[in-house]
Amino acid sequence: MRSKTGFAGFVVFASGLLVAGVAFAYYIVLPKALSFLTHYNDEFFNIQIRASDYYSFVLLVLVGVGVVFELPIFVLALVRLGIVTPSRLRRTRRVGYFIVAIVAVLLPGIDPVTTALEAIPLFVLYEGSIWLAVLCDRRWHRSSDLASATE
C-alpha cells in the first residue's frame, strides 16, 4: 500500500511542477517575449503577427517551459536509478549550473530578458532538486535498511 501512496505523491508533485511551469510561462515569460517581438524596431516596421505564428509560438513556450520545470523529477529519477548520487550532484554543482544555463538559452526566448526570466527559475529548481535528492535518498536508504532489518 505504501508504494501506491508514494506513486500518487510523485504524480501530484510532477503535475504541480508542470502546472507551475505553464503558469510561469503564461504570466511572466510570454508577456515579456511578446512585448519584445511586437515592439522591436516598431518605429521602422509595421509589425503584424499571423494568428498561426502566434499560436505556435505560445504553444512552444508553454510546453517548453512546462517540460523544463520537470527538472526535479528528472534529477530524482537519476538518483533513484543510481546514475548519480546526491553527493556528486553537490560536488559538480557548477557543471549543473552550466547545463541549466545552456537549457535556458535553448528555450524559446528571443531576447536576453526572456532568457534570464527562463533561467532564474531553472537555477532555483536545480538547487532545489539537489536538496530534494539528498532528502529522498536518505529516506530511501532508511526504508531499505528497515526492510532488510525485518527480514
Side-chain angles (χ1 to χ4, degrees):
M1 187 67 180
R2 185 172 171 89
S3 64
K4 287 183 181 181
T5 59
F7 184 73
F10 179 77
V11 169
V12 168
F13 182 57
S15 300
L17 285 172
L18 181 68
V19 168
V22 170
F24 179 79
Y26 185 77
Y27 290 109
I28 295 176
V29 175
L30 268 177
K32 300 287 185 192
L34 291 173
S35 174
F36 178 80
L37 275 175
T38 56
H39 294 97
Y40 185 75
N41 280 343
D42 60 349
E43 65 270 1
F44 299 114
F45 301 105
N46 181 15
I47 299 171
Q48 297 179 357
I49 301 173
R50 291 189 311 212
S52 63
D53 293 336
Y54 171 79
Y55 288 125
S56 65
F57 177 73
V58 168
L59 185 64
L60 186 65
V61 169
L62 293 178
V63 169
V65 175
V67 167
V68 170
F69 262 60
E70 298 291 326
L71 178 67
I73 301 298
F74 179 70
V75 171
L76 279 178
L78 292 177
V79 170
R80 186 67 173 157
L81 293 172
I83 296 171
V84 294
T85 62
S87 61
R88 185 169 181 193
L89 284 171
R90 284 189 264 172
R91 282 193 319 267
T92 59
R93 191 175 258 130
R94 289 182 182 176
V95 174
Y97 285 150
F98 180 72
I99 292 170
V100 165
I102 290 173
V103 169
V105 168
L106 294 177
L107 281 173
I110 315 111
D111 60 311
V113 173
T114 306
T115 302
L117 284 173
E118 293 169 343
I120 291 169
L122 288 180
F123 287 125
V124 172
L125 283 169
Y126 180 69
E127 188 64 33
S129 299
I130 293 172
W131 290 104
L132 186 63
V134 168
L135 294 173
C136 288
D137 192 52
R138 286 181 188 162
R139 183 176 178 192
W140 293 328
H141 281 298
R142 259 190 271 131
S143 65
S144 68
D145 291 344
L146 286 175
S148 63
T150 58
E151 290 178 358

